[in-house]
Amino acid sequence: MAKGNALVLGATGQVGRAAVRALVADGWEVTAASRGGGRDERWPAEVRSVALDRNEEGALAAGLGDGCDVLVDIVAYHGGHGRQLTALADRIGSAVVISSGAVYEDDRGRSFDTQDEPDGFPAFPVPIPESWPTVARGEGTYGTRKVALEQELLAAGEALPTTVLRAGAIHGPYCPGPRELWFVKRALDGRPVRVLSYGGASRFHPVHVDNLAELIRLAAANPGSRVLNGADPQAPTVAEIGRAIDAVMGVESETVLIEGPAVGTVGLTPWTGAHPIVYGMTAAEKELGYRPVVSYEESLPATVEWLTAQLAVREWREAFPGLVKYQVDFFDYAAEDAWLATRA
């Protein structure tokens, strides 16, 4: 007997694909909604796929029809999306909505929004609990918009029980901005050395799509109004990530460390930070009985295989627009070589 019916918004994205699989395996009747109405080849035939653009007037209401027992929203980004869901609360039993760890700010008011300013990188406790302060709601940045989304949903209370999941650095196949590319492409290009700033000790807590999907599965079966972090069981340093990827790819690279910040792009990686970013998972363990389904290292072979396949047919900027948005050439080998020459 089915647990009920679930509607997944953003089903063909990296998290949505895994969420659909997890819900189906747990006994839910799943409708997978995306703008293109596509499918993942790993979904079973009983998954219903629909084309739905939630930003079109009336489209989400029409897609809900008579309603659903749980709505999983992967692509909600601002307060307006929160109000959109609460306005349809009479047709939604409960919701699970993806937010971000980017909402937190430190005790000096620093956040991801200030990280590019002098001394602007936030210094958080290790790990960060869900009770830690956040930036003010607003529409100006990704973090402030996510806070507005969270507040709209949580204000609904029992009218729309919503589990908000503050995700870490999401990784896995189908990622539009895969951080692991920084090491994978270097290995494929035959680069014998990589330079890491801050002594290679930077930590930006990752979360694999399958671990997020497990949190979604558990929250769908246990509705409530709550905020939970979403992260892997480990928060490896950038140097540890490099060694793990090398092991998967069967290469040995020399690591050169800069003890301070990056020199321009030299030593800069998608994980680089002056202070560690680590998310506490105690609340998810207590509230949902959460246990991760995969470790960072266990997940890497599939990620590396997918990245390698993408680079075989497309240039990295074309393949991964999520990295291009940083407006950084993460593969400026000429700058690396010039800096390394000064150390000879």
Side-chain angles (χ1 to χ4, degrees), residues 45 52 59-60 63 82 90 92 101 108 129 131 136-137 144 161 188 201 203 219 221 239 245 258 269 314 320 322:
L52 193 161
L60 181 55
D90 60 333
I92 303 170
R108 291 174 52 185
S131 58
R137 67 177 291 164
T144 61
L188 292 173
R203 290 198 290 168
I245 292 175
I258 301 174
T269 79
R314 291 186 289 176
F320 305 115

Side-chain angles (χ1 to χ4, degrees), residues 100-113:
S100 169
V103 300
Y104 294 113
E105 73 173 6
D106 73 5
D107 53 11
R108 291 174 52 185
R110 297 175 300 185
S111 68
F112 284 9
D113 293 336

Side-chain angles (χ1 to χ4, degrees), residues 131-297:
S131 58
W132 196 256
T134 67
V135 297
R137 67 177 291 164
E139 295 300 320
T141 67
Y142 178 76
T144 61
R145 289 193 292 270
K146 282 290 193 180
V147 170
L149 167 70
E150 292 184 4
Q151 292 182 0
E152 292 290 342
L153 293 168
L154 295 172
E158 293 184 0
L160 180 58
T162 301
T163 298
V164 171
L165 296 176
R166 290 175 177 165
I170 302 174
H171 65 105
Y174 300 99
C175 182
R179 292 170 176 84
E180 288 71 20
L181 185 74
W182 198 90
F183 289 108
V184 171
K185 180 170 165 53
R186 278 170 168 75
L188 292 173
D189 290 344
R191 290 289 293 178
V193 63
R194 64 275 188 100
V195 184
L196 302 177
S197 58
Y198 295 113
S202 295
R203 290 198 290 168
F204 183 9
H205 206 157
V207 59
H208 190 265
V209 289
D210 288 346
N211 287 330
L212 265 184
E214 175 67 0
L215 283 163
I216 290 168
R217 180 190 74 83
L218 292 167
N222 299 276
S225 290
R226 57 172 81 93
V227 175
L228 299 173
N229 289 330
D232 284 346
Q234 306 89 12
T237 67
V238 65
E240 290 170 338
I241 290 171
R243 288 194 292 270
I245 292 175
D246 274 6
V248 171
M249 301 190 72
V251 301
E252 292 186 13
S253 305
E254 178 189 358
T255 299
V256 176
L257 301 178
I258 301 174
E259 291 308 316
V263 180
T265 61
V266 179
L268 180 66
T269 79
W271 298 272
T272 296
H275 309 290
I277 305 291
V278 180
Y279 301 110
M281 292 301 296
T282 301
E285 293 165 1
K286 289 182 176 178
E287 291 219 16
L288 298 179
Y290 168 72
R291 297 294 182 272
V293 298
V294 67
S295 71
Y296 186 83
E297 289 192 3

Side-chain angles (χ1 to χ4, degrees), residues 15 38 65 73 169 220 259 291 300-301 316:
V15 177
D73 196 342
E259 291 308 316
R291 297 294 182 272
L300 279 177
W316 74 271

Side-chain angles (χ1 to χ4, degrees), residues 87-129:
L88 297 167
D90 60 333
R91 283 190 271 169
I92 303 170
S94 68
V96 184
V97 178
I98 301 298
S99 184
S100 169
V103 300
Y104 294 113
E105 73 173 6
D106 73 5
D107 53 11
R108 291 174 52 185
R110 297 175 300 185
S111 68
F112 284 9
D113 293 336
T114 65
Q115 62 183 316
D116 293 328
E117 301 173 6
D119 194 30
F121 199 90
F124 294 117
V126 176
I128 307 168

Side-chain angles (χ1 to χ4, degrees), residues 3-9 19 23-24 26-32 60 63-64 67-73 85 89 91-97 160-163 215-224 226:
K3 287 190 172 181
N5 57 79
L7 175 65
V8 178
L9 292 179
L23 290 168
V24 171
D26 205 29
W28 292 86
E29 294 180 359
V30 179
T31 297
L60 181 55
L64 277 169
C68 65
D69 295 301
V70 62
L71 185 146
V72 177
D73 196 342
L85 297 186
R91 283 190 271 169
I92 303 170
S94 68
V96 184
V97 178
L160 180 58
T162 301
T163 298
L215 283 163
I216 290 168
R217 180 190 74 83
L218 292 167
N222 299 276
R226 57 172 81 93

